[in-house]
Amino acid sequence: MNQPEMQAVAKETYTCPMHPQIIKDKPGACPICGMDLVKKTAAGEKVTDVSLNDLLRPSNQYVLSSIPTVHIQQRDEPLEITSYGFITYDTRQVGTVASNVAGRIEKLYVKHRYQRVNKGQKIMDVYSPELLTAQQNLLFLLQHDADNQVLISAARQKLLLLGMSNQQLDQVVRSGKPVFTVSIFSAYSGHIHESSPEAMQQQEATGMKDVSLITEELQLKEGMYITKGQNLFSIYNPSKAWAVLNIFSGQAGMVKVGDKVRIVPETAPDKDFRAAINFMEPFYRSDSKTATARVYFNNPNMGIPIGSQVKAVIFAGARSARWLPEEAVLTLGLDKVVFIKKDDAFIAHRIEVGMVNNHLIQVLNGLNEQDEVAANAQYLVDSESFIKVKQ
């Protein structure tokens, strides 16, 4: 090798087409964008492979470049959909404490909202003239018509339907004296919420996820009158909960009941757990314009706070499709555009796309396996607004 040839080899350098400040003495990848380095031409080298017709073509349709290209690939791709949501009560477990009689609250054992109550726990004592009259009728029958079992049985049944327990009823029969108050017990375990019309309206306005904002004192007070059949309290069981996940419209068609999901609570990232999609709500929520999936799970051991945020990964199986890297597709409003290589230039071309998954985008129409597409469409434009494609 003579001296001029040795100097030519020594001067060979490689640079990045998009970052010319990157200069290496051997081939490789750009440390900034990852593109393959190309051989740097000497200053003043004459370009002979670009024709005048190429240079005169409109730049909004025809771009001269030598960036890497990719081909469309047909393969099965596992779908993993990232979703965000929140924890809320399982409304299937909601119970109601109601009054069977009209009367006055003599004693209230619930002191504040969200108080924990257990099944069988006493909620309040109520004085009811109706209940007092029914007891007196039973005692009258027992004293003056003890053989009339039909009327006595009917009188006992009426007291039970008015809310008196069997223990209280037996006490009245043994003592021969009526009790002036009847106790209302909880038939459920959980957190107690007031069921007054005002509280329920505020709850409906804010939604269950904001129920913790209702922190005013109880509207029910000792000495207040209640009506027959009035709903006094609602009891929510925090041990049974839902993870409500928001799914964007472009991904809603991929998710179905039974898909496995991994949920990571924001309050305890180390307590992530596996579950399955149990229900897909058949409408889009007006506040978020997203589809909603419900995941039912038992919460007593994890203790995830109601209303806390969660991140979820939904495993929706595999989908056989034609895929391109997401970077190869340029979004122009409703249109999706790629740059197809023709000789030494790239031409903007409209395509139809489907789902986006794991940085890959599904191509429905507009490309075939032989087309070479620019690996990164953003490198070929300065602004999305000027790109034009042929109809």
Side-chain angles (χ1 to χ4, degrees):
M1 181 180 295
N2 55 34
Q3 188 67 19
E5 290 176 343
M6 293 178 62
Q7 291 179 355
V9 172
K11 291 181 180 180
E12 282 187 356
T13 57
Y14 296 83
T15 185
C16 175
M18 298 306 301
H19 302 91
Q21 70 272 23
I22 302 299
I23 299 176
K24 302 288 184 179
D25 58 356
K26 58 183 178 179
C30 175
I32 299 177
C33 64
M35 291 182 57
D36 293 335
L37 301 180
V38 298
K39 185 182 295 185
K40 186 177 181 181
T41 57
E45 183 176 347
K46 186 176 180 180
V47 179
T48 59
D49 58 348
V50 179
S51 67
L52 182 60
N53 289 334
D54 291 337
L55 295 175
L56 293 178
R57 294 189 181 187
S59 60
N60 57 5
Q61 298 179 8
Y62 191 88
V63 183
L64 295 173
S65 181
S66 60
I67 67 173
T69 59
V70 294
H71 290 270
I72 204 170
Q73 294 187 7
Q74 175 78 39
R75 68 171 186 265
D76 291 340
E77 186 70 22
L79 302 182
E80 296 183 6
I81 301 171
T82 300
S83 176
Y84 296 89
F86 58 91
I87 302 297
T88 187
Y89 293 106
D90 186 344
T91 57
R92 301 173 302 171
Q93 306 294 326
V94 178
T96 300
V97 177
S99 173
N100 293 325
V101 293
R104 183 178 66 245
I105 300 176
E106 294 294 318
K107 182 68 175 178
L108 188 62
Y109 297 96
V110 178
K111 301 302 181 182
H112 55 82
R113 295 182 181 179
Y114 319 118
Q115 182 175 334
R116 176 76 187 191
V117 296
N118 297 314
K119 184 177 181 180
Q121 181 176 333
K122 187 183 294 186
I123 301 296
M124 64 177 65
D125 293 333
V126 177
Y127 165 74
S128 170
E130 180 184 5
L131 188 65
L132 183 60
T133 302
Q135 294 178 76
Q136 292 171 342
N137 289 338
L138 174 62
L139 293 176
F140 180 85
L141 289 172
L142 291 173
Q143 293 174 5
H144 299 89
D145 196 4
D147 295 332
N148 194 341
Q149 294 299 318
V150 175
L151 290 179
I152 292 176
S153 177
R156 290 177 62 93
Q157 185 65 29
K158 181 178 181 180
L159 287 170
L160 293 174
L161 293 175
L162 290 176
M164 181 172 282
S165 65
N166 285 307
Q167 293 80 1
Q168 287 179 314
L169 184 54
D170 292 339
Q171 178 186 350
V172 170
V173 173
R174 286 195 305 267
S175 64
K177 297 179 180 180
V179 295
F180 291 93
T181 61
V182 62
S183 298
I184 297 178
F185 298 90
S186 173
Y188 310 92
S189 297
H191 294 158
I192 197 163
H193 298 246
E194 197 166 21
S195 292
S196 63
E198 294 81 2
M200 293 303 292
Q201 288 175 4
Q202 186 173 1
Q203 194 174 86
E204 291 173 0
T206 58
M208 280 306 305
K209 61 183 177 181
D210 298 326
V211 73
S212 60
L213 298 177
I214 310 173
T215 57
E216 296 84 358
E217 63 182 1
L218 288 174
Q219 295 188 8
L220 288 175
K221 307 289 184 182
E222 293 178 356
M224 293 181 62
Y225 282 83
I226 57 177
T227 60
K228 188 174 183 178
Q230 178 180 343
N231 290 335
L232 305 175
F233 295 99
S234 295
I235 299 178
Y236 292 83
N237 186 358
S239 298
K240 301 286 187 178
W242 289 350
V244 178
L245 306 179
N246 298 315
I247 303 172
F248 294 109
S249 57
Q251 299 173 325
M254 297 182 260
V255 181
K256 61 185 181 301
V257 173
D259 287 343
K260 303 300 180 183
V261 58
R262 180 170 68 93
I263 297 179
V264 182
E266 66 169 358
T267 56
D270 58 325
K271 291 185 178 180
D272 64 298
F273 61 95
R274 304 301 190 275
I277 301 294
N278 297 99
F279 183 76
M280 292 291 298
E281 293 185 357
F283 57 87
Y284 279 62
R285 296 200 173 191
S286 58
D287 56 343
S288 60
K289 300 300 182 183
T290 57
T292 302
R294 298 179 191 169
V295 178
Y296 307 153
F297 68 98
N298 295 324
N299 197 29
N301 297 327
M302 292 178 286
I304 303 174
I306 299 298
S308 59
Q309 304 295 312
V310 296
K311 178 182 179 180
V313 178
I314 303 172
F315 303 96
R319 183 67 61 88
S320 178
R322 301 189 304 162
W323 303 95
L324 269 180
E326 191 175 5
E327 296 80 4
V329 181
L330 187 67
T331 300
L332 302 178
L334 298 177
D335 292 329
K336 307 295 182 181
V337 172
V338 296
F339 286 91
I340 297 180
K341 187 172 184 180
K342 298 292 184 181
D343 298 328
D344 296 321
F346 290 90
I347 299 176
H349 180 72
R350 182 189 290 113
I351 62 173
E352 295 181 16
V353 301
M355 68 188 73
V356 178
N357 176 66
N358 196 22
H359 303 293
L360 296 174
I361 189 166
Q362 179 189 14
V363 178
L364 301 177
N365 290 304
L367 285 180
N368 56 50
E369 284 71 10
Q370 289 72 39
D371 291 330
E372 290 187 65
V373 177
N376 196 320
Q378 292 288 349
Y379 286 148
L380 299 179
V381 296
D382 294 325
S383 171
E384 297 178 3
S385 61
F386 78 91
I387 295 297
K388 293 183 180 180
V389 292
K390 295 182 179 180
Q391 300 297 329

